[in-house]
Amino acid sequence: MDRSSFRLEGDFGEIRWQEPLSRHTTWKLGGPARALVLPERPDQVAALLRYCQEKQIPLLVLGNGSNLLVRDSGWPGVALKLSKLQQLELSGEKIRAQAGVLLPVLARKTMAAGLAGLEWAGGIPATVGGAVLMNAGAHGGQMAEVVEKVTILNWQGEKEVWSSQELDYGYRSSRLKAARPGVVIEASFRLTPADPVQLQQRAQELLAWRQQHQPLNLPSCGSVFKNPPGGSAGRLIESAGCKGWQEGQIQVSPVHANFFVNLGGGTASEALRLMERVQARVAQVHGIKLEPEVQIVG
């Protein structure tokens, strides 16, 4: 079967054919997916996983698209977006959130309830599913510190529950990311009681810092490269003289060198060329090869 030409037969939720993925990434880059599917229930996700497995249809799972670079050629199969899975429950110090809940929403809800542990997450444009998968973090905090368990659907559509210990969390990594055993459907968190006023104050301080030190007014994917051990990718790029470098409409931000911004109408090819130039320059100057943090697909 031509894997880029297929039908979807079943109850999978909303389906959009030839949907530009530039509409679904924070970098505003990327060609079309053959089909974008937006389920409303976990059973629809399970049915889609089984169908794609049976028909051998390539499957791409989207979070909020904040750590993703889709090539200009797009995605030849199904792009699965879980943004309609929005259930969020608080019970004492425990929280359960479905994969489509935005991380800033989760942070605001928990802080308002007097629960500490996610103040750092208020400015991160990620979903719970994506954040759990890649161990998102900022300002000294990370998902690994608050995740209690994660529910996934494996590629056969069967439910599995993984404890935090089983996730093998590391810097911007997890067993879920490395082994790709399935799709994150929901996660449970354990936080600690604290004064809501103090939590809000801390969150506002962190958000003000981000607004001052990061180019939040232009589309980007967040950090392009991982920080090397004991170092800062942004500082290495800046000291190598790359700030302001440009390929087409993609620019190394003058505000933060590890943010590459889309000035308007940029392409994935331009972003990739700029990444390669910066990698080469940092390797030449510092002898360090930067590793992409952004996931490149297509």
Side-chain angles (χ1 to χ4, degrees), residues 207-228:
L207 188 57
W209 184 94
R210 290 176 73 91
Q211 290 169 339
Q212 183 178 354
H213 293 90
Q214 295 177 358
L216 303 182
N217 61 322
L218 289 170
S220 79
C221 67
S223 295
V224 174
F225 296 106
K226 294 180 181 179
N227 290 326

Side-chain angles (χ1 to χ4, degrees), residues 16-37:
R16 302 180 191 173
W17 294 96
Q18 293 297 332
E19 175 76 1
L21 291 180
S22 56
R23 297 175 182 170
H24 302 275
T25 66
T26 59
W27 218 345
K28 305 302 180 188
L29 303 176
R34 168 67 178 153
L36 176 76
V37 181

Side-chain angles (χ1 to χ4, degrees), residues 2-3 12 19 28 39 50 56 78 97 101 107 115 135 166 172 200 203 221 223 289:
D2 178 1
R3 300 203 304 171
F12 307 130
E19 175 76 1
K28 305 302 180 188
R50 288 191 294 267
Q56 296 186 315
V78 167
V101 174
L115 296 172
N135 190 20
E166 293 175 296
R172 301 298 176 266
Q200 295 283 358
C221 67
S223 295
K289 183 176 181 182

Side-chain angles (χ1 to χ4, degrees), residues 144-155:
E145 297 167 351
V146 293
V147 171
E148 186 174 49
K149 60 184 179 181
V150 174
T151 301
I152 71 167
L153 291 172
N154 65 27
W155 301 116

